[in-house]
Amino acid sequence: MPSNLTLYNSLTRRKESFKPLVEGHVGLYVCGPTVYNPVHLGNCRTFVSFDIIYRYLMAKGYRVRYVRNITDVGHLTDDGEDRMSKGARLEQLEPMEVAQKFSNQFHDMMRTFNALPPSIEPRATGHIIEQIEMVREILKNGYAYEVNGSVYFDVEAYNNANDDRYGELSGRRIDELMAESRELKAQDEKRNPSDFAIWMRASDDHILRWDSPWGPGFPGWHLECSAMSTKYLGEQFDIHGGGNDLKFPHHENEIAQNVGACHHGGARYWLHTNMLLMNGKKMSKSDGNTITPEQLFSGESKHVSEGYSPMVIRFFMLQTHYRSTMDLSDEALQAAKKGYGRLMDAWQSLSELEAGGSAQNGTVGKELMAGLEAAYAEMDDDFNTPKAVARIFELVTRINALKGGQLSLDEVSADTLASFKERLGTLLFDVLGLRDEAAGAGAEQEALDKVMQIVLDLRQQARADKDWALSDKLRDALSAAGITVKDGKDGASWSI
């Protein structure tokens, strides 16, 4: 399958032409959430970005296997406590209750933002066997050592055998890594401060623990992604993605583990999203510079003047390239609200246009198709959504001019108009993942009107039959649902 898609590879630090390992197929792995607390807005930005990448790859005709994991063990806090165990302690629940609760919340949020589900969503706790086997292979190949029931990856041995490869993704030097190494529990067991645990001994009171050849314990956070990406995508696959904050140590350690176990580094292309700021500053709970997705929807925050719909927020996200820092502000959201409304209005106008009947395109028809091709070309350039959106708004100007009569539909053939509508719709809704909220709300209201008319007709028939019990039951049930029924000389009406 010929492709003119280029993407920025974090591993080589340059744009490269995308060539999948298997023609027509793409293996995509994205690091998913650690489900010990509600998903935050920065996570949403990352997953929306990869949703667009997933959608565009499919729109180009690739069969994509998209794997996005759920981390429910092994991700430690700075003081060495497992995040799932900490979440269970704070919530006074079993760890798997915590995992299920916040997995459900995460999935609800992804649906709210109209993000497609992945092809496979594996959990770390469901792949303990694969992780133990990977530890065995790393030990067998001489890249790890066991101490008191814990197994550590030997970074120095890895570097000696692989031309100082550790740090190739993040650009960190080994002496820098040693200086920056965190002081975690059992740090004195390591041969070098830069070594990292791939299997950790569990204390007697540790909740999440499994038997292993090295004693009761649990896998390291970095290990799970190496094991699951290998299982579902192979020892080599196409694209690995995640937030820029995962580049080191998580992704760096993934590469080392994959080489240590399989002699391959896993993904050939590494894609990273940048961070989300608010009002020009890093989000921070300590200084109050933060907002949750729910607060953004409701407007119940000092940082916004009103609530914003999920599609306005998604449209706002489209206006920053996934590799660039995104700055959230009320002013920017206001602009996104206006832009999204203008775009959906233009789409509605386009759907109402009919070609003037000319068999041949004039200048206008050619400009429409050329502008559309330019928008797709921007997506081919490392999924450049802000430039693609800018190209789309150039088309919005032409659509509005066609509606207003400043441009003539006689210069657009019927076939061209039909093709333009189809391909622009694909770009807006299938690739960028937008929804026409006004149209959706109208359809929902129409459906509700029809259902309510049926209910009112049933109630009216019950009254005609003097079946007062059924009539009152229907009225009371509607009242309990927040719907008021008023009887008048012209019949019954309802309101919410």
Side-chain angles (χ1 to χ4, degrees):
M1 176 186 296
S3 173
N4 50 359
L5 175 63
T6 62
L7 48 79
Y8 183 86
N9 189 351
S10 298
L11 190 63
T12 60
R13 297 170 182 79
R14 66 173 184 268
K15 284 186 181 179
E16 300 177 4
S17 295
F18 176 64
K19 296 180 181 178
L21 281 166
V22 179
E23 185 176 358
H25 296 254
V26 176
L28 169 65
Y29 187 93
V30 174
C31 292
T34 301
V35 285
Y36 72 104
N37 63 1
V39 62
H40 59 76
L41 204 55
N43 289 144
C44 293
R45 189 264 169 113
T46 290
F47 297 126
V48 166
S49 295
F50 282 104
D51 177 61
I52 293 165
I53 289 169
Y54 176 40
R55 287 169 175 272
Y56 191 61
L57 290 169
M58 290 194 294
K60 289 186 72 67
Y62 290 111
R63 289 189 61 185
V64 185
R65 176 175 287 179
Y66 176 18
V67 182
R68 187 186 66 204
N69 72 296
I70 294 286
T71 293
D72 54 2
V73 66
H75 192 175
L76 303 185
T77 62
D78 286 339
D79 62 2
E81 185 178 9
D82 186 286
R83 292 177 189 266
M84 295 306 306
S85 297
K86 181 177 181 179
R89 176 169 53 79
L90 295 176
E91 296 277 337
Q92 296 186 329
L93 298 170
E94 286 291 323
M96 289 302 100
E97 284 185 278
V98 174
Q100 192 63 51
K101 173 182 176 179
F102 292 117
S103 292
N104 292 342
Q105 190 263 3
F106 169 70
H107 292 141
D108 289 343
M109 190 61 66
M110 290 299 98
R111 283 189 290 270
T112 298
F113 279 116
N114 200 29
L116 299 174
S119 312
I120 302 173
E121 192 172 53
R123 289 176 177 265
T125 52
H127 296 75
I128 299 298
I129 294 173
E130 290 84 353
Q131 293 175 80
I132 289 175
E133 184 56 33
M134 182 164 271
V135 173
R136 286 181 186 269
E137 288 299 309
I138 295 171
L139 279 165
K140 185 178 74 174
N141 291 330
Y143 294 115
Y145 54 92
E146 184 266 335
V147 181
N148 297 327
S150 292
V151 182
Y152 297 96
F153 191 92
D154 191 331
V155 173
E156 184 176 6
Y158 171 76
N159 266 348
N160 289 340
N162 294 278
D163 299 322
D164 292 328
R165 186 172 179 177
Y166 192 80
E168 64 176 340
L169 179 66
S170 61
R172 306 284 189 100
R173 294 178 58 84
I174 192 69
D175 51 353
E176 295 174 358
L177 302 180
M178 289 185 176
E180 295 173 5
S181 180
R182 295 185 303 168
E183 288 295 329
L184 296 178
K185 294 177 181 178
Q187 184 83 353
D188 57 347
E189 292 182 347
K190 299 180 183 181
R191 293 177 182 172
N192 290 294
S194 59
D195 295 347
F196 57 91
I198 53 179
W199 184 266
M200 287 169 274
R201 179 183 68 254
S203 60
D204 292 340
D205 60 349
H206 199 280
I207 303 174
L208 293 167
R209 51 194 284 142
W210 291 266
D211 289 334
S212 79
W214 316 284
F218 55 96
W221 170 41
H222 315 302
L223 185 71
E224 66 179 82
C225 288
S226 288
M228 291 188 286
S229 64
T230 299
K231 175 169 183 173
Y232 295 110
L233 298 175
E235 294 182 1
Q236 285 187 297
F237 58 96
D238 298 304
I239 301 173
H240 194 311
N244 204 46
D245 58 319
L246 298 181
K247 191 181 294 184
F248 182 84
H250 186 53
H251 290 163
E252 195 74 71
N253 290 351
E254 275 191 66
I255 293 174
Q257 291 165 161
N258 280 54
V259 173
C262 311
H263 308 291
H264 295 291
R268 297 163 64 241
Y269 302 90
W270 288 79
L271 275 58
H272 291 93
T273 59
N274 214 320
M275 68 186 304
L276 176 67
L277 303 177
M278 189 165 73
N279 299 317
K281 299 178 182 178
K282 184 177 180 180
M283 286 196 182
S284 170
K285 287 185 179 180
S286 60
D287 61 14
N289 191 52
T290 186
I291 190 169
T292 67
E294 291 82 4
Q295 289 172 326
L296 205 50
F297 300 148
S298 68
E300 296 176 357
S301 168
K302 65 181 181 180
H303 298 294
V304 292
S305 59
E306 62 176 295
Y308 295 96
S309 73
M311 286 303 99
V312 166
I313 300 167
R314 184 173 178 117
F315 180 73
F316 163 75
M317 292 180 180
L318 293 173
Q319 295 176 80
T320 301
H321 191 273
Y322 77 89
R323 287 192 290 112
S324 298
T325 301
M326 180 181 292
D327 190 7
L328 182 76
S329 69
D330 191 57
E331 293 78 11
L333 289 167
Q334 285 287 325
K337 180 181 177 181
K338 292 178 182 177
Y340 170 74
R342 184 176 172 224
L343 181 58
M344 292 300 104
D345 287 345
W347 173 255
Q348 183 61 37
S349 296
L350 177 64
S351 65
E352 296 169 359
L353 293 177
E354 296 182 4
S358 173
Q360 298 294 325
N361 276 328
T363 302
V364 177
K366 292 176 182 178
E367 287 179 347
L368 287 176
M369 296 309 292
L372 190 56
E373 291 298 331
Y376 275 93
E378 300 293 2
M379 291 299 295
D380 276 334
D381 183 14
D382 195 28
F383 314 102
N384 198 325
T385 57
K387 287 190 175 182
V389 168
R391 297 285 191 178
I392 291 170
F393 271 97
E394 292 173 2
L395 295 171
V396 165
T397 300
R398 288 181 170 81
I399 292 168
N400 291 338
L402 284 169
K403 178 185 178 182
Q406 293 89 357
L407 294 177
S408 174
L409 272 169
D410 289 337
E411 293 193 40
V412 186
S413 72
D415 286 347
T416 293
L417 186 61
S419 177
F420 179 74
K421 288 180 180 180
E422 180 182 1
R423 295 198 66 210
L424 181 59
T426 295
L427 184 55
L428 291 177
F429 306 116
D430 295 342
V431 174
L432 299 182
L434 296 172
R435 283 191 300 240
D436 189 342
E437 291 178 321
E444 290 175 3
Q445 184 62 45
E446 184 179 354
L448 179 58
D449 288 341
K450 291 179 179 178
V451 170
M452 283 304 303
Q453 190 57 54
I454 293 171
V455 174
L456 293 179
D457 288 346
L458 288 172
R459 181 170 175 271
Q460 183 60 34
Q461 186 61 50
R463 288 165 64 88
D465 295 340
K466 297 185 179 182
D467 188 348
W468 309 117
L470 177 58
S471 174
D472 291 344
K473 182 178 181 180
L474 289 170
R475 183 196 60 204
D476 293 343
L478 291 170
S479 178
I483 298 173
T484 301
V485 176
K486 293 183 179 180
D487 294 308
K489 61 180 181 178
D490 297 324
S493 61
W494 64 277
S495 62
I496 297 178

